[in-house]
Amino acid sequence: MANDSYRVDLDRLDEVVKKLNNVLKDMQSASGKAKSGTHLPEGALGKGFEEEGELRKTHSDMKTFIEQDVLDRLERLIDDLQKKTSKTHGAYQDQEQSTSNAMNKGHTSSQNKYS
């Protein structure tokens, strides 16, 4: 029963990796939309009023902030988490296999001794 407290559910860990991959794909889609779908061309807000240039500059600054400081950072964070979770899954899987092999070898050699 004590072994259960150390057991890692590899299926759940694999599920987390898959979900993080989906989130990363969604983030990349949002990032693409932020870069290409939010362009504000000159004159789009009208012409001949003094705040037009300031509005476009503020829009450009906010667009850059969203792309670099929000979306890029989130993508890197999610990508890092996905890679670390995947690596952890692999390490636990390898250890589980190694332990299983060691137990099977010990069990087989015990059977040979007492057969």
Side-chain angles (χ1 to χ4, degrees), residues 20 24 74-86:
L20 286 171
L24 190 57
L74 276 173
E75 275 185 51
R76 287 193 309 267
L77 174 71
I78 293 166
D79 184 53
D80 184 51
L81 184 58
Q82 182 272 335
K83 287 176 182 172
K84 287 178 180 176
T85 305
S86 184

Side-chain angles (χ1 to χ4, degrees), residues 44-103:
L45 300 173
K47 293 184 179 185
F49 64 100
E50 109 184 33
E51 294 86 1
E52 191 264 340
E54 185 181 341
L55 284 170
R56 278 191 308 106
K57 183 184 179 325
T58 303
H59 174 270
S60 178
D61 292 346
M62 184 56 70
K63 182 178 186 288
T64 300
F65 172 77
I66 290 170
E67 289 172 8
Q68 295 175 358
D69 293 340
V70 177
L71 295 174
D72 286 350
R73 286 183 182 184
L74 276 173
E75 275 185 51
R76 287 193 309 267
L77 174 71
I78 293 166
D79 184 53
D80 184 51
L81 184 58
Q82 182 272 335
K83 287 176 182 172
K84 287 178 180 176
T85 305
S86 184
K87 187 175 181 179
T88 301
H89 176 274
Y92 275 113
Q93 194 171 32
D94 291 348
Q95 184 60 46
E96 190 174 89
Q97 185 63 43
S98 177
T99 302
S100 178
N101 290 343
M103 290 178 71

Side-chain angles (χ1 to χ4, degrees), residues 10-20 89:
L10 293 175
D11 291 335
R12 296 285 281 165
L13 211 49
D14 190 45
E15 185 179 320
V16 169
V17 171
K18 289 176 183 175
K19 285 183 179 184
L20 286 171
H89 176 274

Side-chain angles (χ1 to χ4, degrees), residues 105-115:
K105 286 180 184 177
H107 183 63
T108 304
S109 63
S110 296
Q111 283 181 339
N112 291 340
K113 283 182 184 178
Y114 301 111
S115 296

